Amino acid sequence: MPARTVRSDRTLRRPGENLGRLLAENLRVKIMGGEYLPGARLPSEAQITEEYGVSRVTVRTAMKLLESQGLVDVRHGSGSYVCDFGSGIMAGLQELRSMSASIRDMGMTPEIERRVVVRRKPTATESGRLQISEDDSVIYIERAVSADGQIVAFSYEVILDTGFPARVVERIGKVSMFHDLEQQGLLPVRALAKVHAVSSKEIGWGRGRPDSGLYLLLDQVHYERHGRPVVYSQTYFVEGRFEFAILRTR
Amino acid sequence: MPARTVRSDRTLRRPGENLGRLLAENLRVKIMGGEYLPGARLPSEAQITEEYGVSRVTVRTAMKLLESQGLVDVRHGSGSYVCDFGSGIMAGLQELRSMSASIRDMGMTPEIERRVVVRRKPTATESGRLQISEDDSVIYIERAVSADGQIVAFSYEVILDTGFPARVVERIGKVSMFHDLEQQGLLPVRALAKVHAVSSKEIGWGRGRPDSGLYLLLDQVHYERHGRPVVYSQTYFVEGRFEFAILRTR
DNA sequence: GGATAACTGTTGTCATACAACTTATTTCCG
DNA sequence: CGGAAATAAGTTGTATGACAACAGTTATCC
């Protein structure tokens, strides 16, 4: 009898989710967990079809998704294979995830210190990036992110304020900002990031500030699933304390 | 009568190509060319099916591919829409393309100057990255890439030497290295790039060398479609002369 | 022995049908 | 008349079955 674990998972009830994505997540966990080693061949689409009790159409969408994420390589007439760099380094920049989750994946403990949290009007630049009027309201935050006690990034963030209750603002960004935003129906699903090398003594604060003043800047706008900008952030990663990888595909 | 332009395109004869990818390329050109504006709804899958004379399965694979590239947004029950940042800035880092092609896309004229081209044994680091023996042979190149006469990057590249004829080595990297490698059956389809901020006066050469010494370093290994490493390169992009964008998706 | 042919298993594509969702319109009821 | 609910039409998501195209292996032939 088929497992049907995928079908019964109620994550499906969230908008934008579907069976294909869910199956992809499932397979992803198995691959990351080492069930299928790099270079190994995955079960055939027919086998996966049986095992999970879904149609081959669904299996194919899942495989194609994993392929686009660089986790597997689907070869016509041969099979699907786990890519060589699949497990280890792979917490790539092209994937939109919370910083704390990425840090946890690397086996380290994340910690977040909020320095500023205010509700205010946006500046001209900010209203431009978020495509809102200068009369609208935003929530401004300054945070420092640490891994195992060492600061890895300083972040300056501007969040679209759709009338957040005060109690939400109170704890926003304390753990995962993604989670907070999802509650408000503003879950970011895409982000366009511009990357720069920056050398400046003006960035950051406190004891954890590096001597070098050398940072990798991610200047990015996050969008929710209908294309509306929800967050504009500038995150300065201390050079050398964070491994940045990008998977580039054809 | 259906156009059938897609089916008759002989690009299909290349390994790894398929109808879905080809159709995606076709639609991509239309989107980039402004035929469908950002935010607009694309024709339904049924309509595209008719127009191109392919099955809906193929249309769906194409759409899903474009979605994974961040060009379109497929919404259940509603339709597929062109993403807002689709046309303009979109020459993202997550896409593996030749530098000269990227520069051309930005409406500038690329120019490449080769400073060194030699066949030699790999160093320990190089043989490690390329997963070859230290007794094997590689081709080492140093290049400077310009856009409209201004140097935008210095690149140090190590190419796996599978016994290239001398006349190939002679002109390798003069225009597009991708093209040269494809001739040898070594076309890179994936690359894993590590990103760093670098401040150094030791990088680069000649008159185009910047005063700041501030670079964005892409330390990357390119892989051909079976996962074999074919190129290890370190490219130093002069900060401020090149806009680097990454599309991050969930 | 070496090229060739046949065979098997795999992914790619096709056709058709229905489920689930979105959107706009219509209907109904207070 | 206003607003909620039902309806309808259009779209993407999933299921099923079939065959084509390709990769690898095995068997065959000269």
Side-chain angles (χ1 to χ4, degrees):
Chain A
M1 186 182 294
R4 301 220 158 231
T5 56
V6 183
R7 281 182 113 55
S8 51
D9 190 328
R10 288 298 84 190
T11 309
L12 263 186
R13 297 285 87 189
R14 300 207 309 220
E17 287 301 326
N18 56 42
L19 262 181
R21 290 189 83 94
L22 206 47
L23 176 56
E25 273 306 312
N26 249 268
L27 293 172
R28 184 195 188 83
V29 169
K30 282 196 177 183
I31 292 172
M32 295 297 221
E35 186 147 342
Y36 305 109
L37 298 172
R41 205 180 79 175
L42 295 175
S44 75
E45 295 176 354
Q47 287 175 302
I48 298 180
T49 288
E50 263 200 65
E51 180 179 355
Y52 285 90
V54 298
S55 83
R56 204 183 138 207
V57 176
T58 302
V59 175
R60 277 185 72 71
T61 48
M63 295 307 256
K64 285 303 184 184
L65 188 56
L66 291 175
E67 186 179 44
S68 81
Q69 295 175 346
L71 239 72
V72 307
D73 181 21
V74 184
R75 302 181 200 162
H76 187 184
S78 175
S80 299
Y81 300 78
V82 180
C83 277
D84 278 15
F85 36 77
S87 45
I89 317 162
M90 199 60 197
L93 200 51
Q94 78 283 353
E95 292 177 55
L96 186 58
R97 311 187 58 210
S98 83
M99 271 188 285
S100 40
S102 298
I103 291 171
R104 235 185 302 270
D105 281 359
M106 293 183 181
M108 298 191 280
T109 306
E111 198 176 337
I112 292 174
E113 181 213 343
R114 296 190 309 172
R115 188 204 198 192
V116 179
V117 185
V118 292
R119 199 193 301 251
R120 62 161 168 78
K121 301 270 174 246
T123 67
T125 307
E126 290 165 5
S127 66
R129 298 295 181 105
L130 292 177
Q131 299 173 28
I132 58 177
S133 150
E134 294 196 29
D135 295 329
D136 288 323
S137 170
V138 297
I139 295 164
Y140 176 73
I141 301 181
E142 292 183 13
R143 300 193 295 172
V145 182
S146 308
D148 283 352
Q150 189 181 43
I151 289 188
V152 294
F154 298 99
S155 196
Y156 305 79
E157 297 156 335
V158 180
I159 305 168
L160 176 67
D161 180 15
T162 55
F164 290 10
R167 59 163 225 288
V168 172
V169 176
E170 174 53 34
R171 43 167 263 272
I172 198 168
K174 267 194 176 172
V175 189
S176 164
M177 205 162 64
F178 281 76
H179 182 265
D180 300 331
L181 287 170
E182 184 173 6
Q183 302 292 338
Q184 307 298 318
L186 295 178
L187 179 69
V189 296
R190 269 185 289 275
L192 188 62
K194 293 177 191 170
V195 190
H196 290 281
V198 174
S199 179
S200 164
K201 303 287 184 191
E202 309 293 317
I203 313 292
W205 57 83
R207 251 192 340 285
R209 180 152 42 170
D211 294 332
S212 70
L214 197 56
Y215 298 92
L216 200 66
L217 164 62
L218 246 63
D219 183 287
Q220 57 186 342
V221 178
H222 293 246
Y223 302 84
E224 48 90 85
R225 73 190 187 101
H226 283 11
R228 183 165 54 140
V230 291
V231 180
Y232 168 52
S233 66
Q234 291 175 295
T235 309
Y236 294 83
F237 290 87
V238 181
E239 168 59 31
R241 295 189 187 163
F242 208 79
E243 185 77 331
F244 263 117
I246 306 178
L247 182 75
R248 315 177 65 192
T249 55
R250 191 177 50 124
Chain B
M1 186 182 295
R4 301 221 159 231
T5 55
V6 183
R7 280 180 118 47
S8 52
D9 191 328
R10 288 298 84 189
T11 309
L12 264 186
R13 298 285 87 189
R14 301 206 309 218
E17 287 301 327
N18 56 42
L19 262 180
R21 291 188 83 94
L22 206 47
L23 176 55
E25 274 306 313
N26 250 269
L27 293 171
R28 184 195 189 82
V29 169
K30 282 197 177 181
I31 293 172
M32 296 296 223
E35 186 146 344
Y36 305 109
L37 297 172
R41 205 182 78 176
L42 295 175
S44 75
E45 296 177 354
Q47 287 175 302
I48 298 180
T49 289
E50 263 200 66
E51 179 178 357
Y52 286 89
V54 297
S55 84
R56 206 185 134 205
V57 174
T58 302
V59 175
R60 276 184 72 72
T61 46
M63 294 309 251
K64 285 303 185 182
L65 189 56
L66 291 174
E67 186 179 43
S68 81
Q69 295 174 346
L71 237 73
V72 307
D73 181 20
V74 184
R75 301 182 201 161
H76 187 184
S78 176
S80 298
Y81 301 78
V82 180
C83 277
D84 278 13
F85 37 78
S87 46
I89 318 164
M90 198 61 195
L93 200 51
Q94 78 284 351
E95 292 178 54
L96 185 58
R97 312 187 57 210
S98 83
M99 271 187 286
S100 40
S102 298
I103 291 171
R104 235 186 302 269
D105 281 0
M106 293 182 180
M108 298 191 280
T109 306
E111 198 175 336
I112 292 174
E113 181 213 342
R114 297 190 307 173
R115 188 205 197 191
V116 179
V117 184
V118 291
R119 201 194 298 254
R120 62 161 169 76
K121 301 270 173 246
T123 67
T125 307
E126 291 164 4
S127 66
R129 297 295 181 106
L130 292 177
Q131 299 174 29
I132 57 176
S133 152
E134 294 195 28
D135 296 328
D136 288 323
S137 170
V138 298
I139 296 164
Y140 176 75
I141 301 181
E142 291 182 14
R143 300 194 294 171
V145 182
S146 308
D148 284 350
Q150 190 181 44
I151 289 188
V152 295
F154 298 98
S155 196
Y156 305 79
E157 297 157 337
V158 181
I159 305 169
L160 176 66
D161 180 15
T162 56
F164 291 11
R167 56 164 228 286
V168 172
V169 176
E170 174 53 33
R171 42 167 264 272
I172 198 169
K174 267 194 175 172
V175 189
S176 164
M177 204 160 65
F178 281 75
H179 181 266
D180 300 330
L181 288 169
E182 183 172 7
Q183 302 293 337
Q184 307 298 317
L186 295 178
L187 179 70
V189 296
R190 268 185 291 274
L192 188 62
K194 294 176 189 170
V195 191
H196 290 281
V198 175
S199 179
S200 165
K201 303 286 183 191
E202 310 292 317
I203 312 292
W205 56 83
R207 252 194 336 286
R209 178 149 48 166
D211 293 332
S212 71
L214 196 56
Y215 298 92
L216 200 66
L217 164 62
L218 246 63
D219 182 289
Q220 57 187 342
V221 178
H222 293 247
Y223 301 85
E224 48 90 85
R225 73 191 188 101
H226 283 10
R228 183 166 54 141
V230 291
V231 179
Y232 168 52
S233 67
Q234 291 174 295
T235 307
Y236 294 83
F237 290 87
V238 180
E239 168 59 32
R241 296 191 188 161
F242 208 80
E243 185 78 330
F244 263 115
I246 307 177
L247 181 76
R248 315 177 65 191
T249 55
R250 190 176 54 122

